Amino acid sequence: MHELSLCEGVLQVLEDTARKQGFERINIVWLEIGALAGVELEAMRFSFEVIKKGTLADSARLEIIRLPGKAWCLPCGNNVEIEQRFDACPRCGSYQLQVTGGEELRVKELEVE
Ligand SMILES: [Zn+2]
């Protein structure tokens, strides 16, 4: 389950930010996750619960913001939204899509004390 190591990365970001900004506790973490990031949201929530114990995020709530997959279609020239990496273009059915967004995994915002 690679969500566990992803969560460790997130926690690292939280601790670095806490050090820079001088807060000690986190109440809410907003995490942006793209549809094409290859992340299982349920596994992510579970991992966060495991990882946060005994850290500055011990009582923090995780809010996941799901971003759509975005691609540019070569044959029809449209920017389209896709669910998965190898989806066809919803406009023309072509598979010649260039992914332009939806691979994000980042901390968007924190509510801290
Ligand atoms: Zn197309």
Side-chain angles (χ1 to χ4, degrees):
M1 193 165 74
H2 76 138
E3 282 77 7
L4 213 50
S5 57
L6 291 175
C7 268
E8 280 169 353
V10 168
L11 187 64
Q12 192 65 52
V13 171
L14 300 182
E15 285 176 342
D16 289 348
T17 312
R19 212 170 300 129
K20 277 186 218 140
Q21 299 182 5
F23 57 82
E24 285 171 1
R25 291 191 70 77
I26 298 173
N27 295 329
I28 310 175
V29 179
W30 281 273
L31 200 60
E32 280 185 332
I33 301 179
L36 311 181
V39 176
E40 285 282 342
L41 298 192
E42 280 318 303
M44 200 65 189
R45 286 182 210 282
F46 174 79
S47 301
F48 187 75
E49 292 303 312
V50 173
I51 294 265
K52 74 178 190 179
K53 293 211 171 70
T55 73
L56 76 174
D58 203 321
S59 54
R61 192 171 84 226
L62 182 65
E63 295 283 346
I64 292 177
I65 302 160
R66 199 170 177 278
L67 301 177
K70 288 193 179 144
W72 182 70
C73 177
L74 205 61
C76 75
N78 283 301
N79 285 302
V80 295
E81 288 194 0
I82 52 174
E83 278 301 309
Q84 292 167 38
R85 189 165 296 274
F86 300 108
D87 275 0
C89 171
R91 302 257 188 129
C92 74
S94 153
Y95 284 92
Q96 288 173 274
L97 297 179
Q98 214 161 43
V99 171
T100 56
E103 295 172 304
E104 303 82 351
L105 173 63
R106 63 171 170 243
V107 176
K108 177 154 193 279
E109 211 180 316
L110 298 173
E111 188 185 292
V112 302
E113 267 173 34

